[in-house]
Amino acid sequence: EASPRVLGGVFVGYTWGWGASLLFGWAFENIKASSKPKLFVVGTADEFTSMAQYKMRVEGLAGGSESNEMLVLEGKNHFQIEAAEYDQLVVQRAVAMSEKIVAVLGESSEDKCSRKDD
């Protein structure tokens, strides 16, 4: 929320579990409170965060289901979703999310990319 230049976030394999809260708990509240769109890429076999936990956490984020999404990869674990074979899929979803954000802001992607100060 602190930077108007950040329009949203893509989180690949973000961990929400108890263990992660010990290391990354400081970031949870900022992500939870941010009204900016978020995309979480998760595997159904994640070793660190259950699907029930992911769903509960994403549903509880500011912005609601209209601006927060999950890309769920069936049968994949935490480390598999970070493999190069999923890069194109993740990029496609991130670009689609970016285009949606830009459309809401009323700016074309050409205008956004042509700014000299960005």
Side-chain angles (χ1 to χ4, degrees):
E1 291 299 310
S3 175
R5 291 177 183 256
V6 176
L7 301 179
V10 177
F11 303 87
V12 180
Y14 195 79
T15 56
W16 290 102
W18 180 84
S21 69
L22 295 175
L23 297 172
F24 309 112
W26 58 270
F28 288 177
E29 289 305 313
N30 291 331
I31 292 169
K32 183 179 178 182
S34 174
S35 62
K36 296 178 182 186
K38 294 166 275 305
L39 170 64
F40 292 88
V41 181
V42 300
T44 58
D46 190 286
E47 300 88 344
F48 303 105
T49 307
S50 69
M51 287 305 300
Q53 177 83 312
Y54 272 123
K55 289 177 184 175
M56 180 191 74
R57 294 288 190 157
V58 172
E59 288 172 0
L61 297 174
S65 61
E66 290 181 15
S67 65
N68 301 305
E69 304 174 31
M70 287 176 54
L71 171 58
V72 179
L73 302 175
E74 281 297 321
K76 302 301 175 191
N77 69 34
H78 178 82
F79 301 100
Q80 289 172 313
I81 64 171
E82 295 177 0
E85 68 185 277
Y86 296 106
D87 287 353
Q88 187 169 352
L89 177 62
V90 172
V91 168
Q92 288 171 344
R93 286 293 296 270
V95 167
M97 185 178 92
S98 299
E99 288 172 344
K100 197 165 43 171
I101 293 168
V102 170
V104 168
L105 293 175
E107 296 181 31
S108 71
S109 54
E110 293 83 24
D111 292 341
K112 196 74 172 163
C113 294
S114 66
R115 291 185 183 167
K116 291 181 181 177
D117 62 339
D118 287 348

